[in-house]
Amino acid sequence: MSATILYLHGFNSSPRSQKASELRDWLPQLHPGIELIVPELGFDPDQAYSRAADLIQARAGQPLGLIGSSLGGFYATALSQRFDVPAALINPAVRPYDLLWDYLGAQYNPYTDEHYTLTEAHMAALKVLEPESLSAPENLLLLLQTGDETLDYRDALAYYRGVPSWIQPGGDHRFQRLERVVPAMLAFLGMGQAPKVAD
């Protein structure tokens, strides 16, 4: 039975993002049997969540893990708790309905060349998607770099208290040298042996 990783990209990103492209390059070398799926989530929270949920449900009973970055980390958290699947979270967004409030209005996604309007209704939809509590924190792996210039890593530390975590000083929101922790993510997702993460 083949294993699947579902990668969920961040705000104003796409399947053509750098992290998604790097994972496509690295996974065949580390674990040729893994299928990587990177859906186009779009800007609407309900649509993004539904697209990812449909992919998870279509693979019920099969080995599956989630990787979510930034806003994708928020979605991955909600999906992990609902469907009881493991998820690795890379600099995840916490309370995105507050974080994105300053971005309301006209937006442009350079990856998809899409112009759209971010609205208060989208913020309300994000708030509805947020789990009331982390019912299965053991299903989550938190990966943070303290130099994240977009999100305050301390918000994630507080929200994901008690979750297995790896915090690296420095770095940035993109998560520098992500390749070092890919084997650890695969091991957590049940798709490889646990390696020692380099400093």
Side-chain angles (χ1 to χ4, degrees):
M1 185 180 298
S2 62
T4 301
I5 287 179
L6 183 61
Y7 176 81
L8 306 180
H9 63 72
F11 177 65
N12 274 346
S13 189
S14 86
R16 296 190 291 116
S17 70
Q18 186 170 353
K19 280 195 283 291
S21 298
E22 290 173 344
L23 284 172
R24 288 191 192 94
D25 291 338
W26 297 330
L27 283 179
Q29 304 172 40
L30 295 169
H31 202 310
I34 293 177
E35 178 187 11
L36 177 67
I37 299 177
V38 188
E40 174 62 66
L41 297 177
F43 63 87
D44 181 87
D46 288 332
Q47 175 181 280
Y49 184 87
S50 293
R51 286 180 177 176
D54 288 346
L55 288 167
I56 293 171
Q57 290 174 308
R59 287 157 181 78
Q62 302 176 25
L64 173 73
L66 309 177
I67 298 177
S69 174
S70 194
L71 183 58
F74 170 81
Y75 292 136
T77 299
L79 292 160
S80 169
Q81 301 303 281
R82 174 183 171 186
F83 292 105
D84 192 28
V85 295
L89 315 173
I90 304 168
N91 287 336
V94 174
R95 295 181 295 278
Y97 44 84
D98 290 334
L99 293 170
L100 293 175
W101 194 261
D102 291 339
Y103 293 85
L104 294 182
Q107 284 292 322
Y108 173 69
N109 186 326
Y111 289 98
T112 61
D113 197 31
E114 180 179 26
H115 293 268
Y116 66 95
T117 301
L118 194 66
T119 69
E120 292 184 21
H122 293 135
M123 300 303 100
L126 285 170
K127 195 163 189 175
V128 169
L129 290 175
E130 183 177 58
E132 291 186 10
S133 63
L134 298 179
S135 56
E138 67 278 4
N139 277 347
L140 302 173
L141 173 66
L142 180 64
L143 298 116
L144 298 173
Q145 290 191 333
T146 64
D148 188 334
E149 73 284 3
T150 302
L151 304 174
D152 188 334
Y153 79 97
R154 292 169 295 187
D155 290 338
L157 275 182
Y159 180 78
Y160 292 100
R161 189 180 307 277
V163 167
S165 58
W166 186 82
I167 300 99
Q168 180 195 7
D172 57 23
H173 186 61
R174 199 193 78 74
F175 204 97
Q176 291 297 314
R177 296 189 64 192
L178 178 65
E179 72 277 4
R180 292 179 304 160
V181 297
V182 171
M185 287 194 292
L186 293 180
F188 181 81
L189 298 176
M191 301 179 187
Q193 294 182 348
K196 179 180 180 182
V197 179
D199 294 331

